[in-house]
Coordinates of all heavy atoms in Angstrom, one line a residue:
G57 N -29.3 -3.8 -0.3 CA -29.3 -4.7 0.8 C -30.0 -4.1 2.0 O -30.1 -4.8 3.1
N67 N -28.3 15.1 -6.7 CA -27.7 15.1 -8.0 C -28.2 16.4 -8.8 O -29.1 17.1 -8.4 CB -28.4 13.9 -8.8 CG -27.9 12.6 -8.3 OD1 -26.9 12.1 -8.7 ND2 -28.8 12.0 -7.4
M96 N -27.6 21.0 -14.7 CA -26.2 21.2 -14.2 C -25.8 22.6 -14.5 O -25.9 23.1 -15.6 CB -25.3 20.3 -15.0 CG -23.9 20.2 -14.5 SD -22.8 19.1 -15.5 CE -23.6 17.5 -15.2
L109 N -9.8 17.9 -19.5 CA -8.9 18.3 -20.5 C -7.5 18.3 -20.0 O -6.5 17.8 -20.6 CB -9.3 19.7 -21.1 CG -8.4 20.2 -22.2 CD1 -8.4 19.3 -23.4 CD2 -8.8 21.6 -22.6
L134 N -14.6 0.9 -0.8 CA -14.1 0.7 -2.1 C -15.2 0.1 -3.0 O -15.9 -0.8 -2.7 CB -12.9 -0.4 -2.0 CG -11.6 0.1 -1.5 CD1 -10.6 -1.0 -1.4 CD2 -11.0 1.2 -2.4
A145 N -15.8 7.7 -21.3 CA -15.6 9.0 -20.6 C -15.0 8.9 -19.2 O -15.3 7.8 -18.6 CB -16.9 9.8 -20.6
L154 N -13.9 20.1 3.9 CA -12.9 19.3 4.8 C -12.0 18.4 3.9 O -12.5 17.9 2.9 CB -13.7 18.5 5.8 CG -14.4 19.3 6.9 CD1 -15.0 18.3 7.9 CD2 -13.5 20.3 7.6
P185 N -7.8 3.3 -19.2 CA -7.5 2.0 -18.5 C -7.8 2.0 -17.0 O -7.8 1.0 -16.4 CB -6.0 1.8 -18.8 CG -5.5 3.2 -19.1 CD -6.5 3.9 -19.7
L196 N -14.4 10.3 7.5 CA -14.0 11.7 7.6 C -13.7 12.1 9.0 O -14.5 11.8 9.9 CB -15.1 12.5 7.0 CG -14.8 14.0 6.6 CD1 -13.9 14.0 5.4 CD2 -16.0 14.8 6.4
I209 N -17.8 18.3 0.7 CA -18.7 18.2 -0.5 C -17.8 17.6 -1.6 O -16.7 18.1 -1.9 CB -19.3 19.5 -0.9 CG1 -20.0 20.1 0.3 CG2 -20.1 19.3 -2.1 CD1 -21.3 19.3 0.7

Side-chain angles (χ1 to χ4, degrees):
N67 295 275
M96 190 179 299
L109 180 61
L134 283 174
L154 292 184
L196 193 75
I209 301 296

